[in-house]
Amino acid sequence: MKVSKLFKEFVESEKSSGIILIFCTLFSLYVTNSEWGNAYHHLWKTDVLGHSLEHWINDGLMTIFFLLVGLELEREIYIGELSKIKEASFPIIGALGGMIVPVIIYTIFNYGTETISGSAIPMSTDIAFALGILSLLGNKVPLSLKIFLTALAVIDDLGAIVIIGTFYSNGLNWTNLLLSLGTFALLGGLNFAKIRSIPLYLLGGIAMWYFMGQSGVHPTITGVLLAFAIPFDKGDHISISTKIQHFLHKPVSFGILPIFALANTAIILNTDTTSKLLETYSLGIFTGLSFGKPIGIFLFCLIASRLGISKLPKDLSWASIVGVGFLGGIGFTMSIFITNLSFNQASIVDVSKFSILLASLVSAIIGFSILSKSLKQK
């Protein structure tokens, strides 16, 4: 199977980033619950130009992460696994199941409560963590399984982006929204006119980000919009989209995501936190990620296969799809991101983040165990 150099670089950087994210999370949890906890917590609340450091990370640096996600999605659509409908249908359908079932499970737990706003929390897969766990299995992992997991996570991210843009907006300011979308249209025009100036697109992206932030829509969405405004010259290995994507891989994987992990896992672990793990929102998150994800992914893939809509790749087994389904329950980055948007009460945010970490740990252990056994038998 022919795989592009960019895809190989992506997988290598993501799996390494996953390992680093694990260390950053453990470090953050340790420091937060040590004698330096107060100082560490206040570090992320430090005022920088009228906003906290944590705000700049979540609204600023994460826009760059979303830009990379958008560029990866653009590549997959043009020349990757999503460019061929027949081959793309299998991970796309699996991803849909992996989004729909967890949302349903969370909604069942929280219907009619104030925490229903967190329904989207268990719908996303953290590709860095998931590939990091998959990499621990070494060379016995088929390339088609890595591609399936990658495509699955990319579609998950797209679904989360749509949800964030649609449901997590605060009192729209139409003037600023139109200015942001107008800038996007202008950049699209430059693309159509075959103008290939990276600084021009980046300056336009900054303007889009500013106006979007003032409009009430979460500004990180501009990262994805900018990605699709940037020219992708199919078959041209030196297109500016490819150049930017290649440039961003390591800064995002080894800089932005670890910083995000450090800033957003400063969770105080005490009896107050652990006693709330049986709250409806916590149960909805844990069950949605740990069990909703694998059930949704496997069930939708199986139905699609039985109906002849898509088919299981020849070198994969249904057991390996179940294993990857559990790895899909590793939520982390996007789940924590949506948690920050869903709830205003600090205690609920902390318990939700802790639930995400527990669900991700359980999912990783079960997924690794299933894949270790199923791949050994092949």
Side-chain angles (χ1 to χ4, degrees):
M1 184 181 294
K2 185 178 179 181
V3 182
S4 68
K5 179 182 178 182
L6 196 59
F7 177 78
K8 288 182 179 179
E9 290 177 351
F10 168 74
V11 171
E12 290 299 319
S13 66
E14 289 296 328
K15 73 180 185 183
S16 301
S17 174
I19 295 170
I20 291 175
L21 285 177
I22 293 172
F23 283 110
C24 286
T25 301
L26 293 175
F27 174 81
S28 182
L29 288 172
Y30 172 76
V31 175
T32 302
N33 293 278
S34 71
E35 58 187 287
W36 304 291
N38 286 333
Y40 184 75
H41 178 77
H42 284 102
L43 169 66
W44 304 114
K45 302 299 180 183
T46 303
D47 185 271
V48 179
L49 299 177
H51 293 287
S52 69
L53 184 58
E54 182 182 22
H55 173 89
W56 286 112
I57 291 168
N58 292 340
D59 284 27
L61 288 182
M62 287 301 285
T63 302
I64 301 173
F65 164 73
F66 273 73
L67 170 60
L68 180 59
V69 169
L71 292 171
E72 289 163 353
L73 180 60
E74 184 183 40
R75 172 179 60 81
E76 290 295 324
I77 290 173
Y78 281 113
I79 62 173
E81 289 304 303
L82 303 180
S83 63
K84 302 171 185 175
I85 298 299
K86 189 175 181 180
E87 294 181 9
S89 62
F90 195 66
I92 288 175
I93 292 170
L96 287 174
M99 290 186 280
I100 293 171
V101 174
V103 170
I104 291 174
I105 289 175
Y106 184 95
T107 302
I108 290 172
F109 274 103
N110 293 272
Y111 184 76
T113 70
E114 293 182 355
T115 51
I116 190 66
S117 58
S119 295
I121 293 172
M123 69 179 285
S124 296
T125 298
D126 190 289
I127 191 170
F129 266 125
L131 282 174
I133 298 300
L134 193 64
S135 70
L136 298 177
L137 293 164
N139 295 329
K140 62 181 179 180
V141 179
L143 184 58
S144 57
L145 194 62
K146 294 180 182 178
I147 292 174
F148 175 77
L149 177 58
T150 301
L152 186 82
V154 168
I155 296 300
D156 264 2
D157 283 344
L158 176 60
I161 289 163
V162 171
I163 293 296
I164 291 169
T166 306
F167 297 103
Y168 293 97
S169 302
N170 301 313
L172 288 180
N173 181 310
W174 286 100
T175 300
N176 283 300
L177 180 59
L178 291 174
L179 284 171
S180 183
L181 294 178
T183 305
F184 172 64
L186 178 61
L187 294 178
L190 296 178
N191 185 344
F192 184 76
K194 298 189 182 301
I195 295 176
R196 303 293 187 259
S197 170
I198 292 179
L200 199 57
Y201 286 98
L202 295 183
L203 285 173
I206 293 171
M208 283 172 58
W209 177 83
Y210 174 78
F211 290 127
M212 191 67 79
Q214 298 299 310
S215 75
V217 177
H218 203 272
T220 50
I221 298 300
T222 57
V224 180
L225 293 177
L226 177 59
F228 281 90
I230 292 172
F232 185 96
D233 301 313
K234 189 174 180 180
D236 182 359
H237 296 294
I238 57 171
S239 68
I240 66 172
S241 176
T242 302
K243 287 180 180 178
I244 295 173
Q245 186 181 351
H246 182 79
F247 175 80
L248 287 179
H249 268 310
K250 285 183 170 54
V252 169
S253 297
F254 303 111
I256 291 175
L257 289 181
I259 290 173
F260 174 84
L262 290 170
N264 287 277
T265 56
I267 305 167
I268 298 174
L269 302 179
N270 52 31
T271 53
D272 186 51
T273 302
T274 55
S275 65
K276 293 180 179 178
L277 289 177
L278 294 180
E279 294 286 340
T280 55
Y281 61 91
S282 179
L283 289 173
I285 291 170
F286 182 85
T287 310
L289 284 172
S290 299
F291 301 102
K293 271 288 184 181
I295 291 171
I297 291 169
F298 174 76
L299 189 60
F300 273 53
C301 283
L302 182 63
I303 292 172
S305 178
R306 293 289 186 266
L307 294 177
I309 299 172
S310 59
K311 61 181 181 179
L312 178 73
K314 293 180 180 179
D315 57 345
L316 297 185
S317 66
W318 285 110
S320 62
I321 297 301
V322 173
V324 165
F326 274 101
L327 293 188
I330 303 174
F332 202 75
T333 304
M334 199 67 84
S335 293
I336 289 176
F337 189 82
I338 295 175
T339 296
N340 290 332
L341 300 178
S342 300
F343 307 127
N344 294 319
Q345 193 173 327
S347 61
I348 294 179
V349 171
D350 279 352
V351 174
S352 297
K353 289 179 179 179
F354 190 49
S355 299
I356 292 168
L357 295 182
L358 287 178
S360 298
L361 177 62
V362 169
S363 298
I365 292 172
I366 296 176
F368 179 84
S369 300
I370 292 175
L371 287 171
S372 181
K373 186 176 180 179
S374 64
L375 294 177
K376 188 176 181 180
Q377 290 176 341
K378 285 182 64 62

